[in-house]
Amino acid sequence: MPQSRQRRKEARPQELLQAALELFVEKGFAATRSEEVAHRAGVSKGTLYLYYPSKEELFKAVVRHNLTPILGVGGDLLDSFEGPTTELLVKLVERWWDDVGHTPAAGIFKLILAEGHNFPDLVEFQVNEVVLPSRALVRRAVQRGIARGEFRDVDIEAVVHALIAPLQYVVLDRLTLGMCALDLGPDGSRTFLRTHMDLLMNGLLAATGKAKTTKKAAPRKRTTRAAQPKKET
């Protein structure tokens, strides 16, 4: 096989996944037809089915290609990071934004919200492949901060939700009304995330020393008005 054709064959899965992601985000899962994906990738429908036998399998491959790798990157960062846990969590969020939130792959999240009720199997796949591993990664990071005495003893599951929910909001905002970017400037989403992380990290920090101690206000003394002398009648 000529080298050019060999390279083309090796690139086909990547081209098919790129075309599928674009169409899924543009039109939605239900409205996207397999032949459209094949046409955009420049191959026949039969070639598409050689790699991905159904549209559902194609969607799963798109998720694994675009979302799953960032979890491995985050896990490696968590295992090797030696600095404060506040810095670790900020780096995890920034890496997620650069690799997912600010890319077309973020549209997968919007697609699941919009069409998931019609495709419960795909929702279950997304939960098992992305949602649960993401929560486990963030949970490990928060537990690290508590174990090192950096964070207060908090409800870990609630903190995990508090960390992840604004990321989901920013994606929906960017892909719909764009209110966050409008309010905070051209890089509004990143500014919002930085502000969110700053507030949350300072809220998690354990109290150390007098600077972190809040003194109770001294009780106010009740003052009574001096009894006025009765007027003589």
Side-chain angles (χ1 to χ4, degrees):
M1 184 180 294
Q3 267 192 331
S4 59
R5 288 185 62 191
Q6 179 65 30
R7 285 197 298 269
R8 177 80 175 91
K9 184 177 181 181
E10 292 172 351
R12 277 177 188 161
Q14 171 70 29
E15 293 168 353
L16 287 166
L17 293 177
Q18 180 64 30
L21 173 63
E22 292 172 0
L23 285 165
F24 286 156
V25 173
E26 289 171 16
K27 302 182 65 174
F29 181 79
T32 297
R33 294 179 294 125
S34 297
E35 49 264 37
E36 291 178 297
V37 176
H39 178 73
R40 182 168 292 196
V43 301
S44 67
K45 186 177 177 180
T47 300
L48 169 63
Y49 285 140
L50 285 176
Y51 293 97
Y52 309 107
S54 67
K55 193 167 69 169
E56 287 74 14
E57 289 303 315
L58 179 60
F59 175 83
K60 292 177 181 179
V62 167
V63 170
R64 290 192 178 108
H65 179 73
N66 289 279
L67 301 183
T68 304
I70 189 62
L71 296 170
V73 171
D76 292 341
L77 177 61
L78 195 156
D79 292 335
S80 61
F81 195 78
E82 297 180 354
T85 306
T86 51
E87 292 182 12
L88 168 63
L89 284 167
V90 169
K91 286 183 180 295
L92 287 172
V93 168
E94 289 178 345
R95 188 61 187 266
W96 172 87
W97 177 251
D98 291 336
D99 291 355
V100 177
H102 194 52
T103 74
I108 297 172
F109 172 69
K110 180 185 175 185
L111 184 152
I112 286 291
L113 284 183
E115 301 187 66
H117 61 287
N118 291 324
F119 302 97
D121 291 345
L122 296 186
V123 172
E124 183 179 4
F125 172 81
Q126 175 83 356
V127 168
N128 292 330
E129 190 78 14
V130 178
V131 177
L132 294 180
S134 298
R135 293 184 65 87
L137 179 65
V138 176
R139 186 184 301 111
R140 283 179 57 204
V142 176
Q143 288 171 333
R144 176 189 191 266
I146 295 174
R148 288 161 59 103
E150 299 169 333
F151 293 167
R152 297 183 290 116
D153 188 9
V154 292
D155 185 325
I156 295 177
E157 295 306 315
V159 171
V160 169
H161 185 69
L163 274 162
I164 292 177
L167 310 186
Q168 298 169 339
Y169 158 75
V170 144
V171 166
L172 292 178
D173 183 83
R174 184 176 72 79
L175 296 177
T176 52
L177 299 177
M179 293 169 57
C180 184
L182 178 65
D183 291 341
L184 300 175
D187 200 15
S189 296
R190 189 180 294 275
T191 301
F192 169 80
L193 288 176
R194 286 174 178 166
T195 303
H196 162 66
M197 292 302 292
D198 177 66
L199 293 172
L200 188 56
M201 293 304 97
N202 280 287
L204 282 171
L205 288 176
T208 55
K210 294 182 179 179
K212 295 288 183 179
T213 303
T214 56
K215 294 182 179 179
K216 290 184 178 179
R220 294 177 60 186
K221 293 182 178 179
R222 295 183 62 184
T223 55
T224 56
R225 294 175 118 191
Q228 296 296 326
K230 291 182 180 180
K231 291 183 179 180
E232 295 182 358
T233 59

